[in-house]
Amino acid sequence: MAFPIDLSKYSPIPLDPNNAQLPAEQKKTLLANIQLARDTIVLFTASGAARGVSGHTGGPYDTAPELCILDSLFRTHKDKFVPIAFDEAGHRVASQYLLSALHGHIPPEQLLHYREAHSRLPGHPELGLTPGVAFSSGRLGHLWPMVNGIAMANPDKVVFCLGSDGSQQEGDDAEAARLAVAKGLNVKLILDDNDVTIAGHPSKYLPGYDLGKTLEGHGLTIFRTEGENIDALWGAIAASILHKGPTAVIVKRVMAPGIKSIEGSPHGHDVIPVKAAIEYLEGKGITKGAEILQSIKANSIPYTFLGSSKEKEANRVEFGEAVSRVLDKLSKEEAAKKVMVIDSDLEGSTGLKVIHQKHPEVFVSSGIMERGNFSAAAGFGFDAEKFGVFSTFSAFLEMIISELTMARLNNCNVLSHFSHSGVDEIADNTCHFGINSFFADNGLSDVHSWLYFPADASQMDKVVDKVFFQRGVRFIFSTRSKLPWILKEDGSRFFGDDYTFEPGKDDVILEGTDGYVVSFGDMLHRSYDAVLRVRQKGLSVGLINKSTLNVVDEDVLRKIGSTKFVLVAESWNQKTGLGSKMGTWFLERGLTPKYGYMGTTKEGCGGLAEQIYHQGLDPESIITKISRLAQ
């Protein structure tokens, strides 16, 4: 379909930092560029909403003025700047895709496939994947330290780094600030200070946090300005360029200014609703864009799984419900004394929101500070009779390894819930894959960490109830995607009322004589389907649910290791996951089945359910692997 906004009307202007006053004609052109950019961002990010792959609108929409200014500077002064608009808010990827289209690296029509599988437009920018994208942002707040190094490698040039009041909450930015000031690096930050993050407003959940004061305390020169006043914004950016050494332009504005349905709201952080986008576009006279949004349908991959229900539930949400049921057994006073649950601005995504609502006496709203928040939860559990609870995305587990060691050394009680584990429905793509979770099991043999990955909501409830008040460090994993219930042959739930969860004990879902598939979490129902289909062909294959991932169940290991073959099917990193360990367990015990393991091996393709197929982890791929091992 033809792109309904004419990007050829975008006209860069020859900005001169020595002239802090915008001539009238330049101002007019710049404002037109900004409006064109904002209209385009609303349109193509909303296509992600229409397609069901979500996305982010508010951040890139907010920062369109800064982006247009930087683009003009880079085109005019090629030798003065490193001509890349580095942005450590990876969810503002729409800005990078807009630049790719404006510079002719991708056709404008490709933007309408935002975050769609195999479109090369994932939810965070990835170097080498999308034409025109010049850097990988990684996760939120991770880029400034690297930009310091780029400035060191280019001492005669100015390097810009876009950020936000959210990204600046990450602790590595404080380290980056100290280095930039100490070495006088010519790094210029432009920070969107809209007082909005996913779960709320920093001014409310982090009172006392002030972006400008924080950076001034580190020694940066600060320029404060109003983002929707283009003369003031340009004046601040021009002054920052002329100032020698590191600076930060603090850009104050409300989130998504001018979009009445999401303006100033945390809802603006995510993708704009289709209805709101249509209203916006029609108000701008872009009726073709509204029609395109109405024509887009969500993608689906129809498949009927054997062995599990058609109905699905989100384990990440069930975690919060299960914790709430544990707390229901305590008085409010006892719960507040004994338990502390701390959030890292993700309560709606990791299941903590229901705890916030039902048990506010234990809940702490905090910022995007995974390292500090985990340690706070561990510190609360320093007392043997107190228990800290921490939660974030599984991809961010890699950030707290040192803090985890401290928790172990201090015998702390901390239960960590890591959602968005594996790759299923991770449209943000590779940097948000939660695939290295065995990193959590990095203590010495005398201190054990428990890793649990329930297969459905019923088992999640049983796991939480069993391990919540156990001492030590415990990890529970869940997926972004909803999971079906695992069923018995009679159609009842395998992990129903008659099921008892025992840490360290594997669940024998099906007995087999020829071989076994071992799986867990989001891959169990896929493995179940594959096993049932090969059993229909006469192959006696069993299925094991290994919900306690890092403990050997000796009885089960000998049972499956005495058959012809064993296959581990998981969506974690094939290099670091369960499959990389279980083969050693067999050899240590003199067991020699034919052995195979399959997990995530490639960078992502975007989309949702397509990630599983892209990695070769769908039931048909499991069947193919079983067939090879059974030969």
Side-chain angles (χ1 to χ4, degrees):
M1 56 187 76
F3 198 74
I5 298 174
D6 185 1
L7 297 189
S8 69
K9 292 183 178 180
Y10 177 85
S11 180
I13 54 179
L15 293 173
D16 181 0
N18 293 296
N19 184 0
Q21 299 294 320
L22 280 172
E25 192 60 32
Q26 284 194 354
K27 178 179 178 179
K28 179 181 178 181
T29 301
L30 182 56
L31 288 172
N33 287 343
I34 293 167
Q35 191 60 56
L36 181 145
R38 284 180 162 172
D39 293 347
T40 302
I41 287 167
V42 168
L43 171 59
F44 78 80
T45 58
S47 74
R51 192 167 281 110
V53 293
S54 193
H56 297 273
T57 300
Y61 179 94
D62 275 10
T63 54
E66 296 93 297
L67 195 73
C68 290
I69 287 172
L70 292 187
D71 185 48
S72 287
L73 285 171
F74 295 160
R75 295 184 193 229
T76 305
H77 306 278
K78 297 183 184 299
D79 297 329
K80 185 177 180 62
F81 304 101
V82 173
I84 299 173
F86 292 107
D87 191 343
E88 66 172 6
H91 55 268
R92 290 199 300 233
V93 68
S95 301
Q96 307 306 319
Y97 297 155
L98 173 63
L99 286 176
S100 288
L102 291 174
H103 285 261
H105 296 293
I106 62 174
E109 291 77 17
Q110 188 174 340
L111 296 174
L112 295 172
H113 297 276
Y114 175 65
R115 289 169 64 105
E116 184 180 6
H118 305 289
S119 68
R120 296 195 292 174
L121 302 176
H124 281 229
E126 295 188 13
L127 181 64
L129 179 65
T130 311
V133 166
F135 65 94
S136 296
S137 69
R139 301 146 191 166
L140 183 69
H142 281 55
L143 201 57
W144 183 7
M146 193 181 83
V147 167
N148 277 350
I150 293 169
M152 291 174 163
N154 296 272
D156 298 327
K157 295 184 178 182
V158 172
V159 187
F160 282 98
C161 183
L162 296 164
S164 65
D165 51 338
S167 69
Q168 285 288 309
Q169 291 176 21
E170 289 286 12
D172 54 356
D173 274 358
E175 298 179 16
R178 291 192 287 271
L179 179 63
V181 171
K183 301 304 178 185
L185 302 180
N186 220 8
V187 172
K188 313 299 178 181
L189 304 180
I190 304 180
L191 306 176
D192 182 30
D193 191 8
N194 58 27
D195 194 32
V196 165
T197 55
I198 298 174
H201 305 280
S203 61
K204 294 181 179 179
Y205 64 72
L206 281 181
Y209 169 57
D210 182 278
L211 195 53
K213 290 180 180 178
T214 298
L215 292 171
E216 281 180 322
H218 285 304
L220 273 79
T221 299
I222 304 302
F223 300 90
R224 294 175 174 85
T225 188
E226 295 296 323
E228 298 309 295
N229 180 333
I230 195 63
D231 293 299
L233 178 62
W234 165 243
I237 292 176
S240 75
I241 294 171
L242 296 178
H243 182 88
K244 186 176 181 179
T247 64
V249 178
I250 311 296
V251 185
K252 298 291 293 186
R253 58 163 62 89
V254 298
M255 167 68 85
I259 307 180
K260 62 181 181 180
S261 62
I262 58 176
E263 183 178 280
S265 163
H267 295 296
H269 172 87
D270 209 329
V271 71
I272 185 172
V274 174
K275 181 179 179 182
I278 289 173
E279 181 180 348
Y280 173 94
L281 293 170
E282 289 180 340
K284 302 291 184 182
I286 310 173
T287 56
K288 287 291 185 183
E291 291 172 4
I292 287 173
L293 293 182
Q294 290 171 325
S295 71
I296 295 175
K297 304 300 180 185
N299 294 337
S300 63
I301 302 177
Y303 190 90
T304 301
F305 287 93
L306 302 181
S308 57
S309 65
K310 293 181 180 179
E311 300 77 20
K312 297 182 178 182
E313 186 57 80
N315 272 17
R316 57 191 171 108
V317 176
E318 183 60 24
F319 173 84
E321 296 284 359
V323 170
S324 292
R325 284 191 286 272
V326 171
L327 296 174
D328 288 343
K329 302 172 186 177
L330 308 177
S331 68
K332 297 292 184 183
E333 294 75 19
E334 186 181 6
K337 183 179 180 179
K338 194 171 186 176
V339 177
M340 187 268 279
V341 179
I342 191 166
D343 175 50
S344 299
D345 191 52
L346 288 172
E347 63 178 87
S349 298
T350 66
L352 300 192
K353 186 174 183 179
V354 66
I355 305 173
H356 192 177
Q357 294 169 340
K358 294 183 178 180
H359 291 278
E361 72 276 6
V362 307
F363 194 83
V364 177
S365 294
S366 187
I368 309 164
M369 307 179 298
E370 295 84 358
R371 304 166 186 86
N373 289 339
F374 173 83
S375 289
F380 186 89
F382 181 68
D383 185 313
E385 299 304 320
K386 295 181 184 291
F387 298 84
V389 179
F390 167 81
S391 188
T392 188
F393 292 168
S394 289
F396 307 160
L397 182 152
E398 300 166 19
M399 297 162 59
I400 63 139
I401 299 303
S402 181
E403 288 75 14
L404 171 57
T405 298
M406 286 296 296
R408 288 199 190 94
L409 291 174
N410 284 288
N411 299 320
C412 296
N413 301 321
V414 56
L415 174 65
S416 294
H417 171 222
F418 287 95
S419 70
H420 294 55
S421 190
V423 301
D424 196 8
E425 297 197 4
I426 307 293
D428 281 328
N429 224 45
T430 309
C431 72
H432 271 54
F433 282 179
I435 56 176
N436 288 314
S437 297
F438 261 100
F439 286 11
D441 188 27
N442 64 351
L444 301 176
S445 58
D446 59 338
V447 181
H448 193 69
S449 301
W450 297 84
L451 276 56
Y452 304 112
F453 200 153
D456 65 18
S458 293
Q459 192 178 37
M460 171 65 81
D461 184 53
K462 302 293 176 60
V463 170
V464 171
D465 185 68
K466 183 72 174 183
V467 310
F468 189 85
F469 286 121
Q470 290 182 348
R471 292 178 177 174
V473 180
R474 291 139 296 136
F475 297 86
I476 297 179
F477 300 94
S478 66
T479 60
R480 181 186 185 275
S481 57
K482 293 182 178 181
L483 298 179
W485 279 273
I486 302 301
L487 303 178
K488 298 178 182 178
E489 290 185 46
D490 62 5
S492 62
R493 293 181 182 177
F494 191 96
F495 304 110
D497 293 338
D498 59 343
Y499 171 78
T500 299
F501 174 73
E502 291 295 334
K505 296 299 293 181
D506 299 342
D507 302 304
V508 180
I509 306 298
L510 286 174
E511 297 278 3
T513 57
D514 292 324
Y516 276 89
V517 175
V518 179
S519 194
F520 58 88
D522 59 315
M523 287 300 294
L524 186 69
H525 74 279
R526 296 182 169 97
S527 299
Y528 200 3
D529 175 84
V531 166
L532 289 173
R533 294 182 189 276
V534 296
R535 286 167 72 97
Q536 290 175 351
K537 298 178 181 179
L539 195 61
S540 180
V541 180
L543 177 65
I544 303 298
N545 174 40
K546 189 161 186 60
S547 52
T548 304
L549 292 162
N550 59 334
V551 177
V552 174
D553 183 330
E554 295 290 351
D555 293 338
V556 170
L557 195 73
R558 291 190 180 280
K559 173 199 288 282
I560 65 178
S562 299
T563 60
K564 184 178 179 179
F565 70 88
V566 174
L567 170 65
V568 175
E570 60 185 312
S571 62
W572 285 1
N573 189 343
Q574 187 167 290
K575 287 185 176 181
T576 64
L578 177 65
S580 69
K581 303 175 184 301
M582 185 168 274
T584 300
W585 298 344
F586 285 127
L587 291 175
E588 288 174 338
R589 291 157 180 80
L591 301 170
T592 57
K594 291 180 67 176
Y595 184 64
Y597 56 105
M598 50 199 306
T600 293
T601 59
K602 298 184 287 188
E603 294 186 352
C605 69
L608 294 175
E610 294 90 349
Q611 294 281 16
I612 289 291
Y613 290 84
H614 176 65
Q615 299 293 340
L617 298 174
D618 56 286
E620 190 61 41
S621 296
I622 299 172
I623 290 172
T624 299
K625 189 74 171 181
I626 292 172
S627 300
R628 290 174 181 169
L629 288 172
Q631 291 176 354

